[in-house]
């Protein structure tokens, strides 16, 4: 009976929705910061967007399977998305 109860808890846990991503703002210096979103478990895998986009442009269809195998670190480059823009002198 104990084995059955443990299997039932495991099945309920597996059916729970994935944990929400955590978000951080990391100060690089007095003028720049990086926004980082983390999700998943496992070895780290950094995803950095290209020009003219931000972290929200990664399709969920691509992120979900990766988050099952990796701890995703989705970064907004300085001046993009939620990262602070560098100040000009």
């Amino acid at each position: 009976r104990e084995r059955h109860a443990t299997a039932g808890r495991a099945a309920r846990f597996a059916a729970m929705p994935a944990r929400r991503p955590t978000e951080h703002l990391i100060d690089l210096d007095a003028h720049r910061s990086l926004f980082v979103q983390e999700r998943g478990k496992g070895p780290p895998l950094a995803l950095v967007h290209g020009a003219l986009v931000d972290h929200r442009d990664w399709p969920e269809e691509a992120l979900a399977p990766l988050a099952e195998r990796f701890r995703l670190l989705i970064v907004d480059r300085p001046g993009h998305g939620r990262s602070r823009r560098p100040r000009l002198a």
Side-chain angles (χ1 to χ4, degrees):
R1 183 164 195 215
E2 181 64 31
R3 174 183 267 173
H4 182 267
T6 302
R9 279 191 291 252
R12 284 194 304 275
F13 181 75
M16 291 174 65
R19 191 178 71 148
R20 294 188 61 179
T22 58
E23 299 178 342
H24 312 278
L25 197 59
I26 302 169
D27 290 328
L28 300 176
D29 56 33
H31 306 289
R32 297 179 302 153
S33 66
L34 285 181
F35 171 81
V36 178
Q37 183 184 85
E38 292 184 51
R39 58 168 73 186
K41 291 183 179 180
L45 176 64
L47 300 176
V48 182
H49 62 79
L52 307 176
V53 296
D54 63 31
H55 76 280
R56 296 171 293 187
D57 290 298
W58 292 99
E60 188 61 35
E61 296 81 19
L63 296 177
L66 288 173
E68 291 176 7
R69 297 179 50 211
F70 298 99
R71 178 175 149 234
L72 300 180
L73 304 168
I74 306 165
V75 178
D76 273 345
R77 294 171 46 206
H80 295 268
R82 293 173 57 189
S83 291
R84 278 195 303 227
R85 298 184 187 284
R87 293 184 183 169
L88 299 175

